[in-house]
Amino acid sequence: MMTESDCRPRLLIIIPNRGMGGAQRAFHDHSVELSKYYQVTEVIFNEDEDDMYPSGNPVRSLGVPGGGNPLTKVQNFWLRVRRLRELKKELACDIAVSHLEGADYVNLLSKGQEKAVVLIQGSKVYDRNINGTVGWLRKKVLMPWLYQRADKMVTVSRDIIPEMTETFGVPLHKLSAINNSFEVEYVRAQSMEQLDVAMQAVYAAGPVLVTSGRLAIQKNQAPLLDIFAALLMHQPAKLIFIGDGELREALLSHARALGLRVYQAMNSSDVLTPEYDVYFVGLQQNPFKYIRPATAFVFPSAWEGFPLALGEAMTCGVPVVSTDCPTGPREMLAPDTQIPKLPLRHAEWAEFGILMPMLTEPATLAADLTCWTDTLSQLLRDADARQRLGNAARLRANDFTHQRIFGAWKKLLDSLLA
């Protein structure tokens, strides 16, 4: 808690918007944990969205709306830069840390005497949302130019560092990798909460595969439905989607086209019974109670940073099966290995989970889907392997506690103040 006599260094952490998402959750954790060592003020562009992860720290809004036509967007961008520069002076900011690319630009362009740190939370090279003319401008002009202004750049995965040096020309000495952290004890405690009776009946009806994440292009859930439909030809199982997003209707249509019986919690006429194959349960305040009792956690993402959902499933002690996508899963599940020169085309039974082919290449998709189906079938038949991998995942999650990760953050920030 900040007081008038508080002489700790002044830290601003900046994010474009609040709301619900992995970046916002990480932002909350940074705010809470770093306030143990610094005077933390949160900065947002506007108050268009509710604060889904309140930290208790002071929040300052730049009061600049989003949206509008291209001219309005440009004007609002420079207004954000000006207002953040003024706020940094007003608060006598020592260090400003930005989360997400839009905040990075505003942070770096408003830089004064304070140290500027940017946190890179995902792959820029493989992010398919960075496309078109604006995407080209971001990759070829804005990032290479602006990222040079940072005093430090922190990537959430070691495997993002080569992207920053080779693609965007960031000097290696400015880069550090500090993984995302997880509320390990909290997640484990929450995971022990009982499911309601109707959902318990679903879990009792057969092996349960669970996936968690926004229903969006990045998470690449559509091929998972094809895999699951093929799996059902060999054995009974259930597939549960935790989360919501813009691709919900497309995924529902795809599931039904495959002949799968679909339950969606968003449809009040659907009655929860074990008779369905696929369950869309939507956003959950406590997703961990769905994950812990599952037979396995499946993660088909096309790209990541250092995925919270995967780490939380590991924390719950569930065997995890993930694409070997850029970046994060390999570092989490097979930390002593490096990214293969050629894309993975087989199941890699790693120390802390199973790495699988990505499901994005048309030329190999049929073989990759078969590999996934065969591997999941093998895992569901092998209780000893599931127990071994679940125990190993739970142990690995202890490397990502808040205490360990924010100890590294404190060391880095203190070095900038020295």
Side-chain angles (χ1 to χ4, degrees):
M1 192 73 180
M2 194 183 301
T3 65
E4 290 185 5
S5 60
D6 197 335
C7 296
R8 295 176 301 166
R10 295 173 175 84
L11 180 68
L12 298 189
I13 58 172
I14 309 148
I15 195 167
N17 59 281
R18 298 183 290 197
M20 183 170 287
Q24 286 77 12
R25 288 166 59 196
F27 182 82
H28 163 270
D29 291 345
H30 278 240
S31 185
V32 170
E33 294 299 319
L34 293 176
S35 67
K36 297 174 181 177
Y37 315 109
Y38 311 101
Q39 299 180 52
V40 172
T41 300
E42 299 177 13
V43 181
I44 55 177
F45 288 174
N46 53 61
E47 298 180 278
D48 291 350
E49 297 186 66
D50 293 333
D51 190 352
M52 303 303 296
Y53 309 104
S55 67
N57 287 324
V59 179
R60 298 288 294 269
S61 172
L62 299 181
V64 183
N69 60 47
L71 177 59
T72 300
K73 288 181 178 179
V74 170
Q75 292 173 333
N76 285 343
F77 174 81
W78 287 109
L79 182 57
R80 288 170 184 151
V81 172
R82 179 169 65 81
R83 289 187 177 175
L84 182 58
R85 183 182 295 120
E86 293 169 351
L87 184 60
K88 287 177 176 180
K89 290 180 181 179
E90 175 192 335
L91 298 180
C93 170
D94 295 302
I95 301 178
V97 182
S98 49
H99 292 234
L100 297 178
E101 189 181 331
D104 294 341
Y105 296 165
V106 175
N107 184 22
L108 294 172
L109 286 170
S110 64
K111 180 171 163 49
Q113 297 301 310
E114 82 288 348
K115 302 295 184 181
V117 179
V118 299
L119 173 60
I120 305 299
Q121 297 189 2
S123 170
K124 302 295 187 184
V125 171
Y126 296 96
D127 187 340
R128 282 189 275 159
N129 291 315
I130 305 177
N131 56 40
T133 303
V134 174
W136 181 90
L137 180 66
R138 287 161 63 186
K139 282 186 175 181
K140 298 298 184 181
V141 179
L142 293 176
M143 293 184 207
W145 171 51
L146 282 173
Y147 284 161
Q148 305 296 323
R149 297 172 62 91
D151 293 286
K152 272 291 184 180
M153 179 175 290
V154 178
T155 67
V156 296
S157 169
R158 67 183 187 190
D159 296 326
I160 299 176
I161 287 180
E163 290 186 15
M164 294 296 110
T165 57
E166 297 167 13
T167 304
F168 303 113
V170 178
L172 187 60
H173 73 270
K174 290 191 175 187
L175 287 155
S176 298
I178 303 178
N179 299 140
N180 281 334
S181 64
F182 310 106
E183 295 180 282
V184 171
E185 295 307 320
Y186 172 79
V187 169
R188 288 174 181 162
Q190 289 290 100
S191 75
M192 300 307 294
E193 182 181 327
Q194 290 293 309
L195 294 166
D196 62 39
V197 173
M199 187 56 77
Q200 287 182 41
V202 173
Y203 276 67
V208 173
L209 302 176
V210 171
T211 190
S212 178
R214 183 171 178 79
L215 306 182
I217 186 173
Q218 176 188 358
K219 304 304 179 181
N220 199 39
Q221 294 108 335
L224 189 57
L225 290 166
D226 296 278
I227 293 164
F228 182 69
L231 182 67
L232 285 184
M233 297 175 66
H234 303 287
Q235 64 184 91
K238 306 293 183 184
L239 175 60
I240 296 178
F241 287 85
I242 305 170
D244 202 359
E246 59 270 22
L247 293 186
R248 187 213 305 166
E249 291 302 322
L251 290 169
L252 289 168
S253 296
H254 187 51
R256 292 179 180 128
L258 291 167
L260 298 170
R261 297 168 295 179
V262 181
Y263 166 86
Q264 58 166 326
M266 309 78 169
N267 187 346
S268 58
S269 64
D270 283 0
V271 178
L272 180 60
T273 73
E275 303 306 314
Y276 297 95
D277 302 309
V278 181
Y279 296 78
F280 287 82
V281 300
L283 293 169
Q284 293 292 325
Q285 190 69 31
N286 180 8
F288 316 119
K289 68 180 182 181
Y290 290 84
I291 295 171
R292 181 192 56 79
T295 312
F297 182 85
V298 286
F299 198 66
S301 283
W303 75 88
E304 284 289 343
F306 198 81
L308 293 177
L310 182 60
E312 288 164 347
M314 296 170 69
T315 302
C316 291
V318 179
V320 296
V321 183
S322 171
T323 51
D324 188 22
C325 70
T327 60
R330 176 164 292 276
E331 185 174 358
M332 300 168 83
L333 303 182
D336 295 329
T337 68
Q338 299 299 316
I339 298 173
K341 292 182 180 180
L342 296 175
L344 193 66
R345 296 268 82 91
H346 63 274
E348 182 179 331
W349 292 66
E351 185 176 2
F352 302 109
I354 306 175
L355 289 165
M356 297 295 295
M358 290 175 60
L359 301 165
T360 55
E361 188 59 50
T364 62
L365 184 58
D368 296 337
L369 291 171
T370 299
C371 178
W372 269 79
T373 302
D374 292 346
T375 302
L376 288 174
S377 181
Q378 179 182 349
L379 181 65
L380 295 185
R381 293 194 309 267
D382 193 338
D384 290 340
R386 295 199 305 273
Q387 183 173 8
R388 173 177 58 81
L389 289 172
N391 290 340
R394 181 182 174 91
L395 182 65
R396 173 66 169 147
N398 292 332
D399 292 334
F400 310 121
T401 61
H402 282 347
Q403 182 178 6
R404 288 193 176 198
I405 298 305
F406 285 101
W409 267 100
K410 184 177 186 301
K411 183 177 180 180
L412 181 142
L413 296 177
D414 286 349
S415 71
L416 292 175
L417 295 167

